[in-house]
Amino acid sequence: MQHDFPEGLHVAIIMDGNGRWATRRGLPRVSGHRAGLAAARRIVEHAPDIGIACLTLYAFSADNWRRPAPEIESIFWLLRAFLRLETNRLRQRGARLQVIGRRDRLPQKVLDVIEHSEAATVSGRRLHLRVAIDYSSRDSIARAACATGLAQPLSPDSLRPMLMEALTAESGEVDLLIRTGGEKRLSDFLLWESAYAELLFTDRMWPDFDEADLDAAIEEFRHRERRFGSVPATTVQSGELTQSC
């Protein structure tokens, strides 16, 4: 099904720092994940107001299965509770939810809630909200390449439209990728789609990230010059470019 989402930015966020936020306060890690959901609610509701048409949140990576079983169970319990509480609100605010990543390893109770939320919000047009669960970008790229069914290798230019269709559906490439929590790496998140994304790293832990932080990130993004491998337009106009490299 095609969706006519408004013109706007695709922002992706690695929501990092929940556990450390809780530990520094002498709280169990699950308290950090609960606070992280509150931050996600704030950002989801604010995003369309500042020109974001697609928002992709990294909720649970394929590598997160290595965490202690009780923490994983708590994360999925919170996810189910969040979707139950927020689905109607998302629908009312014109947001369409789409979960990306593998589904074959998720508990059936989680799958049931995800499918219900996706179906209930399918007609949303104001915001395309994507949540990455059991997600690995390298795994997604590999599966998309295999799905082409071609014996001969493809060039990057030939493979690009196939991968974009398989990986991003209607979302398009990432404009701005934000990572909270102080770490400065992509952690296997939207590697293909973020080839020319602007990157912003902040020390603020995800539970503390709020509307003002998102506003500041968008403001910085709008002051950056995106050249996509080319040269500044002023350089060409002034005649400084004399030979292509």
Side-chain angles (χ1 to χ4, degrees):
M1 180 181 296
Q2 293 297 317
H3 293 265
D4 299 322
F5 288 98
E7 290 293 331
L9 298 176
H10 180 184
V11 174
I13 305 180
I14 301 175
M15 306 180 293
D16 194 18
N18 291 343
R20 284 173 287 153
W21 180 91
T23 299
R24 291 175 183 179
R25 288 163 174 75
L27 301 171
R29 288 176 61 87
V30 66
S31 296
H33 296 306
R34 185 177 293 109
L37 286 178
R41 181 185 297 111
R42 293 194 298 267
I43 297 308
V44 168
E45 294 192 355
H46 187 56
D49 296 335
I50 57 173
I52 297 173
C54 182
L55 177 66
T56 304
L57 303 178
Y58 204 6
F60 189 85
S61 77
D63 289 329
N64 286 155
W65 289 110
R66 301 174 184 174
R67 295 187 176 187
E71 181 174 351
I72 294 174
E73 292 172 2
S74 296
I75 290 172
F76 285 137
W77 185 89
L78 288 170
L79 175 64
R80 288 167 54 204
F82 178 81
L83 291 179
R84 286 198 187 100
L85 292 171
E86 295 298 317
T87 293
N88 191 51
R89 188 173 180 85
L90 290 172
R91 182 181 59 78
Q92 292 175 346
R93 295 179 66 86
R96 175 202 170 200
L97 174 71
Q98 178 189 18
V99 172
I100 61 173
R102 292 182 59 170
R103 301 195 180 200
D104 56 304
R105 297 188 292 194
L106 298 181
Q108 187 60 48
K109 291 181 179 179
V110 174
L111 279 174
D112 290 343
V113 175
I114 287 172
E115 291 171 359
H116 170 76
S117 297
E118 288 179 329
T121 61
V122 70
S123 42
R125 297 292 187 277
R126 189 163 181 253
L127 175 70
H128 186 182
L129 172 61
R130 305 196 313 159
V131 181
I133 300 173
D134 195 5
Y135 178 84
S136 161
S137 185
R138 288 184 293 186
D139 179 67
S140 297
I141 291 171
R143 287 188 288 109
C146 290
T148 62
L150 300 177
Q152 297 296 323
L154 294 172
S155 68
D157 287 341
S158 299
L159 188 58
R160 181 181 183 278
M162 298 180 185
L163 286 173
M164 289 303 294
E165 180 178 359
L167 297 175
T168 65
E170 304 131 5
S171 67
E173 297 186 3
V174 174
D175 295 300
L176 171 65
L177 189 149
I178 302 168
R179 179 167 188 153
T180 62
E183 304 292 350
K184 296 178 174 63
R185 54 179 176 271
L186 297 184
S187 296
D188 199 14
F189 183 50
L190 301 180
L191 301 180
W192 183 277
E193 300 92 324
S194 299
Y196 280 100
E198 295 295 320
L199 307 180
L200 189 149
F201 302 102
T202 174
D203 291 334
R204 189 177 293 276
M205 298 297 173
W206 175 247
D208 292 328
F209 197 85
D210 60 17
E211 297 91 338
D213 295 308
L214 185 60
D215 289 343
I218 295 299
E219 182 67 16
E220 178 174 335
F221 168 82
R222 296 196 184 283
H223 282 87
R224 294 188 185 182
E225 183 178 23
R226 306 184 74 196
R227 297 194 297 272
F228 300 97
S230 184
V231 296
T234 53
T235 301
V236 177
Q237 293 169 0
S238 65
E240 294 179 18
L241 182 64
T242 58
Q243 183 177 357
S244 299
C245 297

